[in-house]
Amino acid sequence: MRRIFFFGLLMFLLGCDDGDFIIEQLDFDETDVQEPCLDGTVTLFKISEAKNEALIIQLAPNSVDFTEVEVLEFPINNNTNKVLYRILDNEVTPAYFCQSVPPTSPLVTEEWYSPSGTIRITTTKEDDDLDGIPSEQEGMVLNEDGTVNMEASRDSDGDGFPDYIDPDDDDDRIPTIDEIDNTDPTNIVFTNTDGDDLPNYLDNDDDNDGVLTIDEDLGGDGNPANDTTDIDGEKIPNYLTPIANTETTKKSTRRKNVYQSIYTSVIEIVDGFKLQNENQEIKFDVETYLFGTVETPIKQEEK
Ligand SMILES: [Ca+2]
Ligand SMILES: [Ca+2]
Ligand SMILES: [Ca+2]
Ligand SMILES: [Ca+2]
């Protein structure tokens, strides 16, 4: 695939051929979408690696909610819905794009606009407890349409939060991420201290000494990991050794379940993507131009 790296080169080619110019890729294709400006005009933008070019989408205030699962389409009209390509005389920073009155510096030396096409924003949501185990390995059940069937998904400790949104799957107060070895996320090692059928993250008595891990929290601070016994000069948490099997008399308080909803908005330009500047026109030889994605994580906490 042909790739145009520098606008200067593009201008040179345009100069050679007085008509439309068709390209497949733009210098911006591999740069990330910056954090959107949402105060006033919704502005989505990408800055080139050299920092003196920007591809910008501008939409009416409050026209996009990046935490709403939906498909939005905005016909490009160069009024409320615009796509602009700017070349500046100096490096530009993200702050430049979020100001209601455009700063005088850096100066826009060239501005191209898109005369037609549609901006499409598709937002999907995925919940995840970020416990080190991918949701698909935590008994998450999907409906036929690809949405998650929360009721049918595995809930090992029966606390109402299926494992994929439960950061402590066996409710023993030791977070799952501390009960597995995920140094290599493609090859998670499910630690199993007592060698029974249950890996530690699903085992409420990790050392099989008859005292539940939750009851080996002698300090009663909600963390059994800091109650230790000295064995051969090493401090071993009581819940990981049957040598220490004292049961606490203190009641452990349950921590609130916390997980994340991660909204992913895919921003595309469909129905053809062109850029114009006076009499010159660049056409993108792609059915759908992928502008990029915006991720919005929202912390969810049990009430
Ligand atoms: Ca989990
Ligand atoms: Ca646990
Ligand atoms: Ca076990
Ligand atoms: Ca135990």
Side-chain angles (χ1 to χ4, degrees), residues 43 109 124 201 288:
T43 306
T109 54
T124 54
Y201 86 101
T288 299

Side-chain angles (χ1 to χ4, degrees), residues 11 43 71 101 131 144 146 156 182 186 195 200 230 260 276 279 293:
M11 289 305 292
T43 306
V71 181
V101 180
D131 69 356
E144 270 180 24
S156 296
N182 78 334
T186 60
N200 286 12
D230 212 39
Q260 280 201 317
Q276 277 183 3
N279 298 323
T293 57

Side-chain angles (χ1 to χ4, degrees), residues 73 76 116-120 268-273 287-289:
E73 292 203 338
I76 294 168
S116 57
T118 303
I119 300 154
R120 183 194 288 157
E268 300 163 307
I269 297 166
V270 296
D271 305 333
F273 180 33
E287 271 183 38
T288 299
Y289 179 80

Side-chain angles (χ1 to χ4, degrees), residues 129 131 138 163-164 166-167 169 176:
D129 54 15
D131 69 356
E138 290 212 84
D163 291 2
Y164 71 95
D166 189 343
D169 294 295
T176 292

